[in-house]
Amino acid sequence: MTSPVGPLLTDQYQLTMAYSYWKAGIHETPSVFEMFFRQNPFQGEFTIFGGLSECMEFVKNYSIPEEDLAYLKETLAFPNEFIDYLRTVNCSQITITAAPEGSAVFPRCPVMTLRGPILPIQILETTLLNLCNFASLVTTYATHMRILEPHKSLVEFGLRRAQGPNGAMTASKYSYVGGFDGTSNMQAGKTFGIKTIGTHAHSFVEAFTSLDQVENMELKEVNLLSLVLKYRKEYGWEETVDSELTAFIAYAYSFPNAFIALIDTYDTLASGVYNYLAVAFALFELGFKPIGVRIDSGDLAYISKELRKIFITTYALYGKTFAYNDNNFDSNDPSYLFKTTIVASNDICEKVLVSLNQQGHEIDVFGIGTHLVTCKKQPALGMVFKLVEMNGDPRIKLSEQSVKITLPGDKIVYRLFKMDNDTNMEIPTIDLICTRTEPAPEAGKKILCKHPTDSTKRVYITPCKVEQLHMEVWNGMDAIPTTLNESRARCKDTIHYMRKDHTRHNNPTPYKVSLSSDMFELLNRMYEEKKPIPEL
């Protein structure tokens, strides 16, 4: 699949600004740009950073090919001298530090900092934002769902509903970073090494009409239809829909060790589940391991509980056991039937998960599609990219909205930890934004932390541990690699060590982001210097 991520995946104004920098002779001036966001998504109080690996791939391979230069010359009428200059542009003079992919990040804190000549950094802006905004959004939303269902399997089912093929691939990859167990997207499975999972559709069930279509199917030299019909008659399940049973037999014949049946095409509790049981009993007798059922409509809480009752009652009545267990398949163990996997899909979102947990349910695996891959609850994060220093001098953007005032100057973010007495864990408590030139805060020493916009709010903290949030990810020649599974593990650890009131679904406590005294002084000094004083 050809990637659309190239030098022209940018806004026109990045290139017109670049030309103006060049024409003014300031294109090589040392500068510092930062990427950050202003508000956490989904009414939550944390964001998980995603997209860094794609950014590094883009930066590492950055150069403008001849066909793109020809297009720029024709479209924007750039002179030959500037085209010649663009031909030499790469990222060898840029260094980048960033928060690790999969880590929690918070508003106003830079998640990525680029240092180097202003022109090549400027023309990276749009692409880097594009690569990080949606990836961070999907990772965060997936993490929200994982927090709500910490012990269930979550599978991304959204390929057909995603915003184009590249949105689908991003969603598959970063839902995995956020804690999902697999995807239905085969391209993502191949590209990223993610486990792929799938069953069959209603159309498969509707495609079959008569038991005659499966009368010659044999497994282990046994006629599968005859064996299924034996169980169906013996246990009184003969009022089910024949065509549905036909489809289940055909699917079981194709995948006897991976049999999951979609049981809601006609009637879940009157037909689908009993057709599944008849086929599953036959497979079990032949030594195969049927997995379970999927439901895609109706009252998921009620239906899943009724299904579990049926499985348990069936074992009690007939003494038969079956289900899937790779490690210890023992036909004398009744827990097999009790543990028959119930998969649920059907427009699942955070609200549905909360409701299901409140009602109680027996669902083992959630297939989540549209809401996840489109981030329907909030489809944009709003990450921005701002100049904060040029030629060693801090820069600031002012606004009537305090949240849009940028923090000037090159800076470093430190995460300060306190010991939690209840869990005996080091818990992240405050992210402290410091100027790059001031001494780093130290564990065991009292530190004054000031609110970014309210001078009356300030606290002291004596941290038990201090971590610098940013790491160098690009040194001008090499990108520091991070694997998908490293990002996934980091996300899991990050959430594990955060205070639960920061990550809870309802009314989470805001995580503190503060300024050091030096940073607070710089912000206010520059505000006074740059803000015109109105006259009444």
Side-chain angles (χ1 to χ4, degrees):
M1 184 172 63
T2 303
S3 172
V5 183
L8 293 190
L9 188 69
T10 189
D11 293 307
Q12 177 177 301
Y13 83 136
Q14 308 290 6
L15 295 160
T16 55
M17 284 191 291
Y19 177 59
S20 291
Y21 290 150
W22 178 81
K23 199 161 187 179
I26 64 169
H27 55 291
E28 295 185 350
T29 306
S31 63
V32 180
F33 284 78
E34 290 175 350
M35 182 189 297
F36 62 94
F37 58 95
R38 299 184 177 107
Q39 185 175 3
N40 289 306
F42 312 119
Q43 290 83 56
E45 290 297 341
F46 69 90
T47 300
I48 302 295
F49 182 41
L52 179 62
S53 51
E54 279 81 10
C55 289
M56 292 303 97
E57 189 69 20
F58 176 67
V59 166
K60 181 173 67 175
N61 297 307
Y62 190 89
S63 66
I64 306 177
E66 289 300 320
E67 58 267 30
D68 289 357
L69 292 171
Y71 174 77
L72 292 177
K73 182 177 179 181
E74 177 185 356
T75 306
L76 301 179
F78 287 151
N80 289 333
E81 294 83 359
F82 184 59
I83 295 295
D84 289 340
Y85 172 78
L86 289 179
R87 192 173 282 115
T88 70
V89 171
N90 56 42
C91 297
S92 61
Q93 294 179 283
I94 298 171
T95 60
I96 303 175
T97 57
E101 189 169 81
S103 63
V105 288
F106 300 96
R108 301 187 74 112
C109 293
V111 297
M112 185 185 297
T113 302
L114 292 85
R115 301 174 179 92
I118 190 170
L119 188 152
I121 296 179
Q122 185 74 73
I123 58 179
L124 297 177
E125 173 184 349
T126 297
T127 315
L128 298 183
L129 287 172
N130 177 270
L131 293 172
C132 291
N133 261 305
F134 185 57
S136 299
L137 203 63
V138 170
T139 311
T140 305
Y141 200 36
T143 305
H144 277 234
M145 293 183 177
R146 173 49 73 195
I147 290 170
L148 289 171
E149 288 291 355
H151 306 300
K152 304 296 184 180
S153 292
L154 303 177
V155 183
E156 179 267 308
F157 271 9
L159 174 58
R160 65 186 60 196
R161 305 285 171 76
Q163 317 292 30
N166 297 292
M169 292 293 284
T170 298
S172 296
K173 178 178 181 178
Y174 285 99
S175 62
Y176 181 75
V177 172
F180 272 54
D181 301 291
T183 178
S184 66
N185 183 346
M186 295 299 293
Q187 183 72 51
K190 176 188 174 186
T191 304
F192 306 124
I194 302 171
K195 181 181 178 181
T196 57
I197 299 170
T199 56
H200 61 79
H202 295 108
S203 57
F204 182 84
V205 178
E206 295 167 16
F208 291 87
T209 58
S210 169
L211 291 169
D212 295 342
Q213 294 173 282
V214 295
E215 62 182 357
N216 296 319
M217 293 180 177
E218 291 188 354
L219 289 174
K220 295 186 176 180
E221 300 181 351
V222 174
N223 184 275
L224 187 55
L225 174 60
S226 297
L227 190 57
V228 169
L229 291 178
K230 182 193 82 169
Y231 281 111
R232 187 192 197 198
K233 181 177 181 179
E234 182 177 345
Y235 300 142
W237 300 330
E238 293 181 287
E239 298 302 316
T240 59
V241 179
D242 282 358
S243 61
E244 180 181 58
L245 182 63
T246 304
F248 290 178
I249 292 171
Y251 201 75
Y253 175 69
S254 302
F255 303 100
N257 271 321
F259 179 53
I260 300 180
L262 177 59
I263 61 173
D264 69 340
T265 304
Y266 302 116
D267 191 306
T268 302
L269 298 177
S271 179
V273 63
Y274 295 111
N275 278 335
Y276 167 79
L277 284 169
V279 176
F281 274 37
L283 290 175
F284 185 81
E285 180 176 319
L286 295 173
F288 297 105
K289 304 174 185 179
I291 297 176
V293 299
R294 177 164 77 96
I295 49 178
D296 190 49
S297 60
D299 185 331
L300 299 181
Y302 169 76
I303 292 173
S304 68
K305 288 187 283 189
E306 290 300 304
L307 289 173
R308 190 67 69 200
K309 288 178 186 177
I310 290 170
F311 295 145
I312 294 172
T313 302
T314 301
Y315 172 76
L317 289 174
Y318 306 118
K320 296 292 183 180
T321 59
F322 67 94
Y324 185 71
N325 187 318
D326 273 329
N327 300 319
N328 181 23
F329 186 56
D330 180 0
S331 61
N332 296 314
D333 180 2
S335 67
Y336 279 110
L337 186 59
F338 302 161
K339 294 178 182 177
T340 297
T341 298
I342 299 173
V343 182
S345 42
N346 189 28
D347 217 23
I348 294 171
C349 61
E350 270 188 294
K351 182 179 178 181
V352 171
L353 291 176
V354 170
S355 177
L356 287 169
N357 286 331
Q358 289 170 344
Q359 297 174 71
H361 65 85
E362 288 291 334
I363 298 165
D364 303 295
V365 179
F366 289 96
I368 303 177
T370 305
H371 286 271
L372 173 65
V373 302
T374 64
C375 293
K376 191 173 180 179
K377 185 176 179 180
Q378 181 183 323
L381 176 57
M383 204 174 277
V384 295
F385 193 92
K386 299 296 182 182
L387 176 69
V388 296
E389 185 175 290
M390 190 167 178
N391 211 21
D393 296 325
R395 297 290 194 267
I396 189 171
K397 176 198 174 295
L398 300 182
S399 172
E400 298 301 320
Q401 299 171 264
S402 60
V403 72
K404 287 197 170 185
I405 298 174
T406 62
L407 299 176
D410 197 356
K411 57 190 74 75
I412 301 177
V413 182
Y414 297 95
R415 188 153 290 168
L416 311 184
F417 293 74
K418 292 284 286 183
M419 184 63 69
D420 183 82
N421 294 328
D422 293 332
T423 62
N424 200 32
M425 294 193 305
E426 296 170 329
I427 302 295
T429 304
I430 287 180
D431 277 13
L432 184 66
I433 304 175
C434 301
T435 64
R436 190 168 176 81
T437 56
E438 67 183 290
E442 297 180 34
K445 292 188 177 181
K446 188 164 68 173
I447 302 163
L448 177 61
C449 304
K450 297 188 173 184
H451 191 278
T453 58
D454 188 343
S455 62
T456 66
K457 294 182 178 180
R458 49 191 181 168
V459 296
Y460 280 114
I461 180 173
T462 304
C464 63
K465 184 174 76 170
V466 176
E467 282 186 358
Q468 182 174 319
L469 183 61
H470 287 183
M471 61 180 184
E472 185 178 81
V473 293
W474 173 253
N475 61 14
M477 296 179 61
D478 298 303
I480 308 303
T482 182
T483 69
L484 185 63
N485 284 320
E486 286 172 343
S487 298
R488 174 180 167 88
R490 185 178 295 113
C491 178
K492 181 179 179 180
D493 287 345
T494 294
I495 296 303
H496 175 70
Y497 286 105
M498 285 184 68
R499 269 178 24 202
K500 302 312 172 195
D501 59 316
H502 292 316
T503 62
R504 68 191 178 203
H505 178 72
N506 290 323
N507 300 314
T509 304
Y511 182 87
K512 288 183 173 61
V513 174
S514 299
L515 307 184
S516 69
S517 294
D518 286 3
M519 186 70 238
F520 188 83
E521 181 182 342
L522 175 62
L523 170 62
N524 284 276
R525 176 171 58 82
M526 291 208 65
Y527 184 89
E528 290 188 4
E529 288 177 0
K530 300 296 184 180
K531 181 68 173 176
I533 301 174
E535 182 175 345
L536 297 180

